[in-house]
Amino acid sequence: MENTIAQRIKDFMKDYPPFNLIDKKDLKWLAERVVVKYFIPGQTVFNQGDEPGQYIYMVREGAIHLYRQEGEKQILLDECDEGDVFGIRPLLAEEPYATTAKAEEESIVYAINIGGFEKFAEVNPSIMMYLARTFAASARSKYDGQVKGKLFLHNDQLVDSNFPLLEVQSIETKKAPITCGPDVTVQQAALIMTDNEVGSLIVTNESKKPLGIITDRDLRKKIATGIVPLETPVSEIMSSPVVTVSPNMTVADVQILMIRHKIHHLCITEDGTANTPAAGVISEHDLLVIQANNPAILIREIKRSNSGEQIRGLREKAEVLLKKYIYQEVSILFISTIMSEINDAIIVRAIEMSISDMEREGFKKPEADFCWLGLGSEGRREQLLRTDQDNALIFDDVPEKDYKSTKDYYLELSGRVTRILNEAGFKFCPADMMASNPKWCLSLQEWKETFEAWIFQPVPKALMHSTIFFDYRPIYGKIELSDALSESIFEYLNRQTIFLSFLAKNAMENPAPLSFFRNFVVERSGEHKNEFDIKARAMMPLADAARVLTLSHRVSKVNNTVRRFQKMAEIEPQNKELYIQAADAYETLMRYRALQGLKNLNSGRFFNPSELNKMERLNLRNSFQPIDELQSLLNLRFQLAYLR
């Protein structure tokens, strides 16, 4: 006769990780060996300092709280409810329990013998990865690094087989590079390229070390046009120094370098520097052959586009790439770099198209240069999905008589740019935080005065603007205008240090939703009633903390939240662990928001908590943990208790 109790245990366990990763037959065997335990409120399952036994535990009904005793303080670290696994130290560390597990209410707990469970975990890395993540949730440990940034531990069910992940493969160099010396004439070089059917030629010295590179494009622009005589040595037209990479560079690394340097060929050398012989060449065409839909090609197509509608189609293609990257656990920093470069290319093209249209229509461009700024998530290089626009424009200071015509021109330009971006899928900002608003299209001096007013008169509205505008990043135009503004801001901060205290207080407005499992903090009214706001509740507290901390150290040109925390880990080694955890948490939140947006075809900001499975809830809850500690740090450092 079948053991009905064991069957019920199995039916329950199969719906929760990591047991949902175990074969049904093996899970039945494991369920038959489970010991069912009952605990009354306040009763302990095990105590901090106890030697680990032979069981790991799973909550069937009720709630188990995990506490750590630190001196006279008892700190609540975790709340476990139905389906949660706890007490897994016997599997991961031969050390005493680091926490006390106590029943918060009447609870039924499954005690699972590790002797039987270990053999299944050993053959399935996803099981141990999940348990390591669970362990990290209740006790910060070295195991957390094993699962950094992982959302999909069982993602063989999620990855589309049509999405081969080639970006992380190393580039291959099967062919020796075609080279020539610096004294070879351009005519001879052209013949060498023709004979070898190559589109580039590496110019090397006698030791075969690269000095420069010439390409088909150089021959078209400089030779075919008659600008340079055929007898000219290649050393006079080559691009130098040549950008070099090592043979073990990944396709992703190559893509980023090509985008960053705005080039189409890279020279491969033995050690990745120009100090060793050339070993090959990788071109944009080679990348296209490797994978038909890559970021460099998308950016090239964006640069050739002539309408917002065309750009929209290309941005939708970029979201196909984004989906692939998200599901296959590619680094969020890589994803955000690529998506930011694509977004920047879209903005640049929108500006170029608008300037060109205005020239055709007879608008006279002023002598004053300008700089287009990305704000908010775009300024931080965190805009993975198409969300609302946040942008601004700075133009050179001009004499009073030229001010109106200059501003009118740039307002007209900004209006056209924001309309193209709207056509491309980047919606108008509901709060009108756009360069098309006269408030945010200003001369350099006006911008300085604006920031000075915010810093010296930190009223709530000024602080709200600061959280958006302090993340500005130059995208197009005269970068020196942005740099000059940054210099003045740091000067104001040096004179009005209390501003950072107000900014820190503002960063405390959204406390960490630490009661995630049992009291999910959702919107109480409005369009998103009963939905969780991942931006306001989880991402903003981290972004706000990173901003005020880096500003306090006068760190410039580091806007990305993850990179800000990484920079803080360098500046304050005593808090390195917290900052690294905060960086990891923000990566997880960015990944999850993008996932929700791709799934629901929206910004991903709001989602229904009931749609979360246990694994997703665990990953999200882990990402909330650094928020409370960061806010405690801000409270102490900026003496917020004394701030009225």
Side-chain angles (χ1 to χ4, degrees):
M1 182 178 174
E2 187 176 358
N3 185 335
T4 55
I5 294 177
Q7 184 63 38
R8 288 176 186 170
I9 294 171
K10 175 200 161 192
D11 289 342
F12 177 80
M13 294 172 70
K14 69 178 175 59
D15 292 329
Y16 296 96
F19 305 105
N20 60 341
L21 306 176
I22 298 176
D23 180 83
K24 290 180 181 178
K25 187 181 294 184
D26 293 334
L27 185 58
K28 183 174 182 292
W29 181 90
L30 193 65
E32 289 171 349
R33 287 153 180 79
V34 164
V35 177
V36 181
K37 296 193 172 189
Y38 169 77
F39 295 91
I40 62 173
Q43 186 177 357
T44 59
V45 183
F46 52 78
N47 286 295
Q48 181 176 331
D50 287 352
E51 290 298 320
Q54 294 301 306
Y55 297 101
I56 61 173
Y57 300 95
M58 182 182 193
V59 181
R60 174 62 179 86
E61 292 179 16
I64 303 293
H65 285 190
L66 301 181
Y67 297 92
R68 176 182 290 159
Q69 195 72 32
E70 294 186 1
E72 297 182 359
K73 282 186 177 180
Q74 189 178 62
I75 301 170
L76 175 63
L77 293 179
D78 206 357
E79 302 175 9
C80 303
D81 69 355
E82 183 178 298
D84 283 335
V85 178
F86 67 98
I88 62 176
R89 184 169 284 269
L91 278 173
L92 299 176
E94 296 180 4
E95 301 169 359
Y97 285 115
T99 60
T100 293
K102 188 182 296 184
E104 179 68 12
E105 57 191 59
E106 283 189 291
S107 302
I108 296 175
V109 173
Y110 291 161
I112 301 154
N113 193 292
I114 62 170
F117 181 72
E118 279 179 320
K119 67 178 183 180
F120 304 126
E122 286 171 359
V123 297
N124 191 334
S126 294
I127 293 176
M128 290 306 292
M129 195 173 286
Y130 177 82
L131 292 175
R133 173 63 84 184
T134 305
F135 186 67
S138 58
R140 290 179 181 164
S141 70
K142 60 187 177 182
Y143 302 104
D144 194 34
Q146 298 176 6
V147 289
K148 175 182 174 181
K150 298 292 182 184
L151 274 182
F152 311 114
L153 303 183
H154 191 36
N155 75 352
D156 55 306
Q157 295 179 353
L158 297 172
V159 177
D160 188 329
S161 60
N162 294 321
F163 280 166
L165 187 62
L166 300 172
E167 286 82 355
V168 295
Q169 294 181 4
S170 295
I171 55 177
E172 295 184 7
T173 56
K174 295 178 180 177
K175 295 181 180 178
I178 306 302
T179 64
C180 72
D183 298 327
V184 167
T185 67
V186 291
Q187 183 178 33
Q188 291 172 324
L191 290 171
I192 294 171
M193 291 168 66
T194 301
D195 291 344
N196 289 276
E197 297 182 343
V198 294
S200 63
L201 194 62
I202 300 293
V203 181
T204 62
N205 61 17
E206 294 177 356
S207 304
K208 295 298 180 184
K209 295 177 183 178
L211 301 173
I213 185 171
I214 62 171
T215 66
D216 281 335
R217 183 170 301 195
D218 295 321
L219 297 181
R220 288 198 309 273
K221 286 187 174 182
K222 300 172 184 177
I223 309 303
T225 57
I227 295 173
V228 177
L230 294 175
E231 298 78 21
T232 304
V234 291
S235 58
E236 292 190 20
I237 71 161
M238 68 183 183
S239 297
S240 179
V242 64
V243 180
T244 58
V245 296
S246 63
N248 60 358
M249 284 279 279
T250 65
V251 173
D253 294 327
V254 169
Q255 288 173 349
I256 288 176
L257 278 175
M258 285 185 177
I259 291 169
R260 184 172 296 153
H261 292 282
K262 296 180 174 61
I263 56 178
H264 307 279
H265 297 78
L266 296 174
C267 176
I268 303 163
T269 62
E270 291 179 1
D271 71 352
T273 73
N275 298 319
T276 52
V281 175
I282 181 92
S283 69
E284 189 176 77
H285 176 73
D286 295 329
L287 292 181
L288 182 58
V289 171
I290 294 171
Q291 51 173 19
N293 191 23
N294 72 58
I297 302 304
L298 280 174
I299 288 174
R300 188 175 70 183
E301 292 304 309
I302 289 167
K303 290 178 179 178
R304 294 175 176 174
S305 58
N306 293 308
S307 70
E309 188 178 349
Q310 278 185 313
I311 294 173
R312 186 186 191 101
L314 292 167
R315 188 55 174 79
E316 286 168 356
K317 285 186 178 180
E319 284 172 10
V320 175
L321 280 178
L322 173 63
K323 184 177 182 181
K324 174 178 66 170
Y325 295 152
I326 291 293
Y327 277 122
Q328 299 204 21
E329 305 286 8
V330 174
S331 159
I332 278 292
L333 283 179
F334 168 73
I335 298 174
S336 61
T337 299
I338 290 297
M339 298 308 292
S340 294
E341 294 290 349
I342 291 171
N343 289 342
D344 287 1
I346 289 171
I347 293 167
V348 168
R349 186 60 190 141
I351 294 170
E352 290 173 343
M353 288 164 55
S354 298
I355 291 174
S356 180
D357 288 344
M358 289 175 70
E359 284 178 356
R360 281 197 302 271
E361 294 171 25
F363 284 85
K364 183 181 178 182
K365 187 177 180 186
E367 293 184 9
D369 281 331
F370 77 101
C371 181
W372 186 275
L373 302 177
L375 309 176
S377 60
E378 173 63 15
R380 295 192 302 271
R381 293 184 178 271
E382 294 169 8
Q383 192 176 40
L384 304 186
L385 299 163
R386 283 173 291 178
T387 55
D388 299 339
Q389 296 182 48
D390 288 306
N391 45 58
L393 186 146
I394 314 176
F395 56 87
D396 272 324
D397 294 326
V398 293
E400 187 176 346
K401 64 183 178 65
D402 298 327
Y403 177 82
K404 186 178 184 303
S405 60
T406 301
K407 180 156 183 170
D408 287 347
Y409 176 90
Y410 284 123
L411 279 174
E412 176 68 25
L413 173 65
S414 299
R416 292 173 183 243
V417 172
T418 54
R419 286 194 292 275
I420 292 173
L421 294 177
N422 184 61
E423 288 176 30
F426 297 89
K427 295 179 181 178
F428 292 125
C429 175
D432 206 12
M433 300 285 189
M434 298 184 295
S436 52
N437 183 337
K439 289 182 180 179
W440 316 127
C441 178
L442 303 172
S443 68
L444 175 59
Q445 183 58 36
E446 287 176 314
W447 272 116
K448 289 180 179 180
E449 291 169 0
T450 298
F451 275 93
E452 183 179 24
W454 289 342
I455 291 169
F456 283 88
Q457 301 172 45
V459 295
K461 193 171 184 179
L463 292 169
M464 183 270 288
H465 286 144
S466 298
T467 60
I468 300 169
F469 285 87
F470 269 86
D471 292 340
Y472 67 80
R473 177 172 62 87
I475 294 175
Y476 180 95
K478 188 177 178 181
I479 307 300
E480 291 83 359
L481 289 168
S482 173
D483 293 341
L485 180 59
S486 297
E487 288 176 13
S488 67
I489 288 171
F490 286 135
E491 180 188 334
Y492 300 144
L493 290 175
N494 289 335
R495 288 163 42 200
Q496 177 75 338
T497 55
I498 196 171
F499 170 77
L500 292 179
S501 296
F502 282 100
L503 201 60
K505 185 178 181 182
N506 190 68
M508 307 280 282
E509 292 298 315
N510 290 307
L514 292 178
S515 57
F516 184 69
F517 276 161
R518 306 185 71 77
N519 287 302
F520 206 105
V521 183
V522 296
E523 301 308 296
R524 295 184 177 181
S525 61
E527 179 186 355
H528 299 287
K529 184 179 180 181
N530 297 325
E531 291 183 326
F532 182 67
D533 184 347
I534 193 171
K535 176 184 174 181
R537 303 285 184 184
M539 299 180 76
M540 279 178 59
L542 289 170
D544 290 346
R547 181 186 305 109
V548 71
L549 286 166
T550 50
L551 280 173
S552 71
H553 285 282
R554 308 301 188 263
V555 175
S556 63
K557 298 183 180 180
V558 181
N559 283 11
N560 181 270
T561 301
V562 173
R563 296 196 187 280
R564 276 173 165 167
F565 280 125
Q566 291 174 342
K567 186 66 177 177
M568 287 304 303
E570 294 176 18
I571 296 171
E572 298 180 11
Q574 71 275 21
N575 294 315
K576 180 177 180 179
E577 182 184 357
L578 172 60
Y579 294 142
I580 294 301
Q581 287 182 340
D584 294 347
Y586 201 79
E587 288 191 58
T588 297
L589 293 167
M590 283 183 66
R591 191 183 299 276
Y592 193 78
R593 181 177 177 181
L595 173 67
Q596 287 293 312
L598 292 168
K599 185 168 71 172
N600 299 316
L601 301 178
N602 57 27
S603 71
R605 176 172 177 172
F606 297 93
F607 59 83
N608 191 327
S610 64
E611 296 175 358
L612 298 175
N613 62 39
K614 208 68 176 180
M615 195 175 294
E616 290 169 333
R617 290 164 74 179
L618 177 65
N619 276 284
L620 285 173
R621 183 188 58 179
N622 285 353
S623 70
F624 299 156
Q625 288 193 328
I627 298 174
D628 190 54
E629 196 168 338
L630 276 170
Q631 293 186 338
S632 296
L633 184 150
L634 294 180
N635 194 42
L636 184 63
R637 178 167 301 180
F638 294 98
Q639 299 182 316
L640 301 185
Y642 301 101
L643 196 66
R644 291 174 180 261

